[in-house]
Amino acid sequence: MTDRFDCYYCRDNLHGKKYVKKDEKHVCTKCFDKLCANTCAECKRPIGADSKELHHKNRYWHEDCFRCAKCYKPLASEPFSARDDGKIMCGKCSSREDGNRCQGCYKVVMPGSQNVEYKNKLWHEECFTCFECKQPIRTQSFLAKGDDIFCVPCHDKKFAKKCFHCKEPISSGGISYQDQPWHSECFVCQTCRKPLAGSRFTSHENHVYCVDCYKTDVAKKCHGCKNPITGFGHGTNVVNYEQYSWHEYCFNCKKCSLSLANKRFVINQDHIYCSDCAKKL
């Protein structure tokens, strides 16, 4: 006599019939679907004995229900990720949903794509652009003004000081003279073009001169010693009378050599005399 082989629940004989072994118990398909089947996390229907079941972290799905919550792509044989809200997503949609967003277009910066990171923020390479000309910075140098990014040419054009001489932006270095900015290479002697940065110089009628050129070409000549009257060192004070000029220390009586600065004097045949000597002439 053959031993009975019955369903654990309904006691139907399972010889020659399809059955499922569940927790070491033999169960007919009807009882399995009714009493033992797991519920699909997506459609909420039982996953019957004839259906292929997928599971992940104590959750179960029909094979056809295991799809990306965003694009509905089947994920039975594809990489996927489970989000904290319970949704299952393909790798691409998960990256878009959870990835870092571009500060320019606010779209997700996909892993492996060309991007720029600056001050812990991320941009697509083509979105990291100059605020002024809107061209991508890419491998160029750039400067920041507040929250805005500028390529070097646009930054210089918009913010850099302009050279008093050539009117072009001063991007680095430069010197200041009479509260005006200059390129070092523009601050040169009007006559010999010698660079004046760090050298002694003087100005005349809005032009600057080195000491030698000023003495030779610009400075008045003292009527007494015939040397240039400059603002350098001894002889800074000048005495002017009609078309003549003197160093103060040269403005002396021709006869007795008395200094006549701030004193009465007499001029005779291009020479100056004190009052006493003039009477004796």
Side-chain angles (χ1 to χ4, degrees):
M1 184 174 176
T2 304
D3 292 337
R4 289 186 63 84
F5 184 50
D6 299 338
C7 170
Y8 178 80
Y9 294 104
C10 69
R11 314 309 297 174
D12 279 353
N13 193 319
L14 297 177
H15 281 295
K17 296 179 181 179
K18 187 175 181 179
Y19 67 92
V20 178
K21 190 174 183 180
K22 177 75 171 178
D23 299 331
E24 300 302 322
K25 301 179 181 69
H26 301 92
V27 184
C28 69
T29 57
K30 185 177 180 180
C31 288
F32 179 86
D33 291 350
K34 185 177 180 180
L35 302 172
C36 301
N38 293 311
T39 300
C40 175
E42 180 63 26
C43 70
K44 310 305 180 186
R45 296 171 58 189
I47 304 173
D50 295 328
S51 300
K52 187 172 182 179
E53 179 182 272
L54 301 177
H55 71 274
H56 176 71
K57 292 185 178 179
N58 298 319
R59 299 173 69 208
Y60 303 87
W61 291 263
H62 293 103
E63 182 180 27
D64 289 342
C65 292
F66 194 66
R67 296 172 177 269
C68 174
K70 200 79 174 176
C71 68
Y72 303 109
K73 176 183 178 180
L75 297 177
S77 57
E78 298 288 339
F80 67 91
S81 62
R83 292 171 52 82
D84 293 339
D85 59 5
K87 293 180 179 179
I88 300 296
M89 288 190 179
C90 65
K92 188 174 182 179
C93 289
S94 179
S95 295
R96 286 175 176 169
E97 195 77 12
D98 298 327
N100 293 312
R101 293 192 176 273
C102 172
Q103 297 299 304
C105 66
Y106 301 106
K107 294 180 180 178
V108 171
V109 179
M110 298 297 291
S113 64
Q114 294 292 324
N115 62 73
V116 177
E117 185 174 353
Y118 175 65
K119 288 188 175 180
N120 298 319
K121 295 180 180 180
L122 210 60
W123 286 261
H124 294 111
E125 187 179 56
E126 63 273 15
C127 293
F128 192 68
T129 59
C130 171
F131 182 80
E132 190 72 13
C133 68
K134 309 304 181 187
Q135 294 301 308
I137 299 294
R138 301 192 189 279
T139 58
Q140 300 178 67
S141 298
F142 66 90
L143 296 163
K145 197 75 171 178
D147 292 330
D148 299 325
I149 302 298
F150 296 85
C151 64
V152 174
C154 286
H155 182 275
D156 288 350
K157 185 177 179 181
K158 192 173 181 69
F159 300 108
K161 294 180 178 179
K162 303 293 192 301
C163 175
F164 182 73
H165 174 71
C166 69
K167 312 306 179 186
E168 293 297 319
I170 301 174
S171 56
S172 62
I175 63 174
S176 179
Y177 174 64
Q178 292 184 342
D179 296 325
Q180 298 291 350
W182 298 66
H183 289 115
S184 296
E185 59 271 23
C186 290
F187 195 68
V188 297
C189 174
Q190 176 69 15
T191 302
C192 69
R193 314 310 294 172
K194 171 186 174 182
L196 297 178
S199 303
R200 294 178 70 193
F201 66 90
T202 190
S203 63
H204 178 71
E205 295 180 352
N206 294 324
H207 297 298
V208 288
Y209 297 87
C210 67
V211 173
D212 291 337
C213 289
Y214 182 78
K215 288 180 178 179
T216 303
D217 301 331
V218 180
K220 293 179 179 181
K221 302 300 187 289
C222 175
H223 191 62
C225 68
K226 309 306 180 185
N227 289 321
I229 299 174
T230 69
F232 308 109
H234 188 48
T236 300
N237 294 328
V238 180
V239 177
N240 295 301
Y241 179 72
E242 294 183 348
Q243 73 270 31
Y244 302 118
S245 297
W246 291 262
H247 295 111
E248 185 180 83
Y249 60 82
C250 292
F251 193 64
N252 302 321
C253 176
K254 175 69 176 175
K255 192 170 183 65
C256 69
S257 300
L258 175 71
S259 174
L260 297 178
N262 301 315
K263 294 184 177 68
R264 295 183 68 182
F265 64 92
V266 176
I267 190 164
N268 184 16
Q269 297 181 355
D270 290 345
H271 298 301
I272 54 172
Y273 299 88
C274 66
S275 299
D276 291 339
C277 291
K279 292 177 183 177
K280 299 174 183 179
L281 291 176

